[in-house]
Amino acid sequence: MEKHFPFTETSENSVGALGEINLIARIREAFQKISPPAPRGIGDDCAVLPAVPERFSAEATAGTPPQRLVTTDSVIFSKHFDETVSPENAGAKLIRRNVSDIAATGGVPADAVLALVMSGDVSAAWFERFLSGIALACVECGVELSGGDVASAPGKNFFSSTLALTGFSENPLLRTGACEGDFLYATGTIGGSILKKHFDFRPRIAEGRFLASLAPKTVRACIDVTDGLLKDHAALLPAGTHAEFDFEAIPISEDAHALGGNLIQRAFCDGEDYELLIAVAGTQTDFFEKTWRENFPQTRISRIAKIVSGNENPELTQRLADARAYEHFLTEN
């Protein structure tokens, strides 16, 4: 397997040898096609953004002004990717994982700013490939990069990138809104993301927009599955309820099967699936499934659970034993 270490022991090939001015010049060049002219793009102390992007002008004049969405997320070497992931895929992951949050809210991505913190031993060649991955994913997802910041980190072998992304939605989907008697649906397949899906996925932008168009009568709430189905499904549950899962209906991925082991545990705890988990009104399931098939015949949708009363789900607890989903700062992760 080809290795893609971000760092170099040859100082003349490092970003440290470039210096800040030359480094920013290379960033400007790499982002020419995805950064609008200043002051909306790179060039000023702040990016000057329109209150409503051009793509939403018709909705705004029709009396349904969109609401602005804001999200931020990072990719850090040895945390979110390693040397087995190409720099292009690492850069693309930064964009896509932020866009996935916008998609889960039923929005369209818009402008973004980028913050880079790295030690001076980062390879200049690796870094340029990382920027290329960002640029390609921005084009793919409709993101415009409006600027950002570069900072040097003390020590060696450190690389972190953070994106702050804006988006717009006329009818934002939230995690709250589900009721007892609603059903949970999942797009795509779940589990086994470590083989490739954690860096090779496409945010469900069109699907999220469709879901928002059905809210709140049919679609009640939505979240993207990133920390694992076990943790993320709980965010949709109203107080005093739990999800009664149909374990046979959970769409376990081929990668999870390839990895083997406890497949239910993989589906609930592997995380980084970047699929949408949706709460649908119990009286609207037939309509929802019919319209989904009409609009997204190539995107799998699975009814996996019903929201019922009671705080505990003994069967789920028994099946997962001591397993848990991802949680930052817990040393066992």
Side-chain angles (χ1 to χ4, degrees), residues 39 63 88 100 126 155 159 164 168 174 180 185 214 222 259 267 280 287 295 323:
E88 290 87 354
S100 185
W126 182 95
F159 181 85
F168 288 86
L174 305 178
E180 183 179 337
Y185 287 78
L214 298 180
C222 187
L259 288 168
V280 174
F287 166 75
N295 285 273

Side-chain angles (χ1 to χ4, degrees), residues 34-104:
I34 59 167
S35 181
R40 184 170 181 175
I42 299 171
D44 286 86
D45 287 336
C46 289
V48 181
L49 307 179
V52 180
E54 293 80 1
R55 73 186 86 173
F56 280 96
S57 58
E59 289 89 342
T61 56
T64 56
Q67 298 184 59
R68 184 179 286 271
L69 312 174
V70 182
T71 188
T72 185
D73 223 328
S74 306
V75 294
I76 304 168
F77 180 73
S78 80
K79 182 73 172 179
H80 302 103
F81 70 98
D82 59 21
E83 68 276 5
T84 66
V85 178
S86 74
E88 290 87 354
N89 281 336
K93 179 175 182 174
L94 175 65
I95 304 303
R96 291 171 183 159
R97 71 195 314 240
N98 277 276
V99 171
S100 185
D101 284 335
I102 298 291

Side-chain angles (χ1 to χ4, degrees), residues 84-271:
T84 66
V85 178
S86 74
E88 290 87 354
N89 281 336
K93 179 175 182 174
L94 175 65
I95 304 303
R96 291 171 183 159
R97 71 195 314 240
N98 277 276
V99 171
S100 185
D101 284 335
I102 298 291
T105 317
V108 173
D111 306 279
V113 290
L114 173 67
L116 296 160
V117 181
M118 60 188 126
S119 51
D121 60 345
V122 169
S123 161
W126 182 95
F127 182 65
E128 289 191 350
R129 291 176 61 187
F130 179 83
L131 297 179
S132 176
I134 287 178
L136 289 173
C138 282
V139 171
E140 165 192 291
C141 297
V143 173
E144 291 186 308
L145 199 64
S146 298
D149 183 62
V150 177
S152 60
K156 299 178 65 177
N157 295 356
F158 183 84
F159 181 85
S160 173
S161 55
T162 300
L163 192 80
L165 175 65
T166 68
F168 288 86
S169 176
E170 307 95 324
N171 189 28
L173 285 171
L174 305 178
R175 296 180 180 184
T176 55
C179 302
E180 183 179 337
D182 290 352
F183 287 86
L184 298 182
Y185 287 78
T187 61
T189 58
I190 306 293
S193 62
I194 191 61
L195 283 189
K196 62 180 179 180
K197 191 176 182 180
H198 73 105
F199 64 82
D200 186 18
F201 64 94
R202 296 296 182 275
R204 301 288 192 185
I205 302 173
E207 291 90 337
R209 293 281 283 160
F210 168 75
L211 294 171
S213 74
L214 298 180
K217 181 180 179 182
T218 299
V219 174
R220 310 274 210 189
C222 187
I223 189 174
D224 67 331
V225 181
T226 55
D227 291 335
L229 185 59
L230 177 61
K231 178 181 175 181
D232 291 335
H233 93 273
L236 300 184
L237 300 178
T241 67
H242 69 271
E244 189 175 79
F245 283 94
D246 179 352
F247 293 98
E248 298 300 319
I250 294 173
I252 300 173
S253 72
E254 292 182 2
D255 284 344
H257 281 280
L259 288 168
N262 185 330
L263 297 181
I264 293 298
Q265 182 173 321
R266 289 208 171 279
F268 276 86
C269 302
D270 280 0

